[in-house]
Amino acid sequence: MHRLHLIGIGPEGPSKMGRNAILSCGYAVTPERFRSFIHSADLGIIPIVPIKEAIKAIRDALNKTDVAVLADGDPLFYGIGRLIIKEFERDVITIYPALSSMQLAFSCLKEPWDDAHFLSLHGREIDDIHGRILPHQKVFILTDSVRSPSFIVKRLLDALPPDRRGDYLVFVGERLGMKDERVFEGRLDEAVGQEFAEPNVMIVIRKTRAEDEDHPFVFGLTESQIEHSRGLITKDEVRAVTIHRLRPPKEGVLWDIGAGSGSVSIETGRISPRLKIFAIEKDGAEMFNLRTNIMRFGVWNITPVHGEAPGVLSGLPDPDRVFIGGSGGSLPGIIASTARRLKNSGRIVINAVTAKTRDLAPRLMCEAGLEVDISEISVTRRKLEDGTSLNLNPISIITGVK
């Protein structure tokens, strides 16, 4: 098989080695804007889209001659390089990287990038954009015409309370490396509604220190650290067992019904930052506590939902996990709704304090087709210094698996 040359195109075109590689090829795979770099009249052109047809054409061409694939910047940085390496043998591939848009952007900003988080929204449907950006001190973002800088900034502002919006700076690099390059730098609210020339990239930087840096561990928050009302919080020991029974996945959807101050959501969100958590709570004061805790611990993968289950559940994505900490007297309807929409191998966990819930919940879960088991927990806290002890109310943790 002949050679496959993967050539990055920077602001000044391909490197000298890349140009020589192009001249050695019989075919070039390229978008329209890079055709000026192909000077040989005998070079066959393969359109880069649709990509499946391009891959097939490359395979056929490699039986006869070398092939050049032209790509933006560094082809291995959110580029076509990943697909090329997957589809073809590594031994036939030679890569000629150029400066990436990421390197150009950080150079303009005079900001190191080795500690940055990277996110590509180019052609990608991601509904929790704020959850992918706000937890990090420094984020580089690849944009597109739909997920534009103005669109992204609006999503961030919608998620942030007014007094925290000034914590973030946004940088937009337009047409970097080109003659009409332009650089924007300002606050989030200054970027809303602006039109930015394409192609463009973004950098979002948090100016302030994250409060969560005071809690560098990912599990083990105490009741005193979580804002709550009148002792209405899942106690530390019970919370630990509850989360163990939930078995939080790395990704997916969790419904926390009757979330209260959100202690289970907060701890679970810190363990699984890619998990989308919807914390449902009807009480206004508890919603305030929930939002305070999300800000305090920077758990931006939690979406507060002010309302009452099961009514508000209809607008949420189907869950992989459900925790029911409170039902407001609507337990039959909540279990029926959650069990019906629960994904296969999903789990529902209910913490039962009252005898009524302890007796009713397992029966309803069995009727909904779940495999049910129950763990009963009694906790006694003792202080050796003064010999005092505290017996917590016993809890039944009921787990249903679909």
Side-chain angles (χ1 to χ4, degrees), residues 6-10 13-15 18 71-77 94-100 103:
L6 183 53
I7 302 167
I9 306 298
S15 65
D72 276 306
D74 183 347
L76 297 179
F77 184 74
T94 304
I95 301 173
Y96 308 82
L99 284 174
S100 67
Q103 292 169 295

Side-chain angles (χ1 to χ4, degrees), residues 94-381:
T94 304
I95 301 173
Y96 308 82
L99 284 174
S100 67
S101 58
M102 178 271 293
Q103 292 169 295
L104 292 169
F106 279 108
S107 295
C108 288
L109 197 56
K110 300 178 180 62
E111 182 75 29
W113 56 265
D114 56 333
D115 57 345
H117 179 77
F118 303 106
L119 174 65
S120 176
L121 298 178
H122 189 81
R124 300 185 182 194
E125 290 286 348
I126 296 178
D127 53 12
D128 60 335
I129 290 175
H130 67 283
R132 303 290 185 95
I133 296 174
L134 294 177
H136 305 284
Q137 194 80 38
K138 186 186 302 180
V139 186
F140 172 84
I141 308 160
L142 287 172
T143 63
D144 64 18
S145 60
V146 176
R147 287 150 286 266
S148 65
S150 185
F151 172 84
I152 295 166
V153 164
K154 187 178 185 307
R155 295 288 293 272
L156 299 183
L157 289 172
D158 288 344
L160 287 166
D163 62 335
R164 301 305 293 269
R165 292 171 180 174
D167 292 354
Y168 295 84
L169 285 176
V170 61
F171 165 92
V172 180
E174 305 172 60
R175 300 179 63 79
L176 294 176
M178 304 178 192
K179 291 181 179 180
D180 55 347
E181 171 184 291
R182 189 173 84 97
V183 173
F184 167 88
E185 185 176 353
R187 302 188 311 270
L188 291 174
D189 58 354
E190 293 174 330
V192 173
Q194 289 207 36
E195 295 290 334
F196 296 98
E198 296 184 31
N200 59 65
V201 296
M202 283 182 68
I203 298 172
V204 177
I205 295 178
R206 188 179 65 233
K207 299 185 296 181
T208 57
R209 181 175 180 270
E211 292 182 46
D212 195 38
E213 292 176 13
D214 295 329
H215 313 288
F217 46 86
V218 297
F219 182 65
L221 294 173
T222 64
E223 295 152 36
S224 62
Q225 292 170 318
I226 301 173
E227 192 74 24
H228 62 282
S229 304
R230 305 183 306 279
L232 297 177
I233 187 172
T234 303
K235 299 300 187 287
D236 296 344
E237 299 86 350
V238 176
R239 191 183 330 123
V241 177
T242 298
I243 294 173
H244 182 273
R245 296 303 291 158
L246 277 170
R247 302 185 72 180
K250 293 180 180 179
E251 297 184 358
V253 174
L254 164 68
W255 293 352
D256 181 357
I257 299 174
S261 60
S263 62
V264 171
S265 287
I266 295 294
E267 290 258 46
T268 305
R270 283 160 55 85
I271 295 170
S272 297
R274 299 292 294 274
L275 184 65
K276 298 176 186 177
I277 301 174
F278 295 88
I280 298 104
E281 176 56 49
K282 64 180 180 179
D283 183 79
E286 288 293 67
M287 281 297 294
F288 178 83
N289 290 333
L290 172 61
R291 294 181 188 277
T292 299
N293 289 321
I294 290 173
M295 282 295 305
R296 176 177 295 173
F297 299 105
V299 194
W300 295 106
N301 53 328
I302 299 175
T303 299
V305 180
H306 192 191
E308 191 168 0
V312 297
L313 303 178
S314 60
L316 304 181
D318 291 347
D320 300 89
R321 300 290 187 272
V322 177
F323 171 59
I324 303 174
S327 63
S330 301
L331 190 61
I334 291 174
I335 290 178
S337 296
T338 55
R340 182 175 65 254
R341 294 183 56 192
L342 188 68
K343 296 178 184 177
N344 288 335
S345 301
R347 286 173 167 250
I348 298 175
V349 175
I350 301 176
N351 285 1
V353 179
T354 66
K356 180 179 178 181
T357 301
R358 188 169 57 247
D359 295 338
L360 180 60
R363 176 171 61 80
L364 293 173
M365 294 167 82
C366 287
E367 290 173 356
L370 305 180
E371 296 181 7
V372 180
D373 64 73
I374 304 171
S375 299
E376 296 184 354
I377 298 178
S378 298
V379 177
T380 300
R381 294 176 176 175

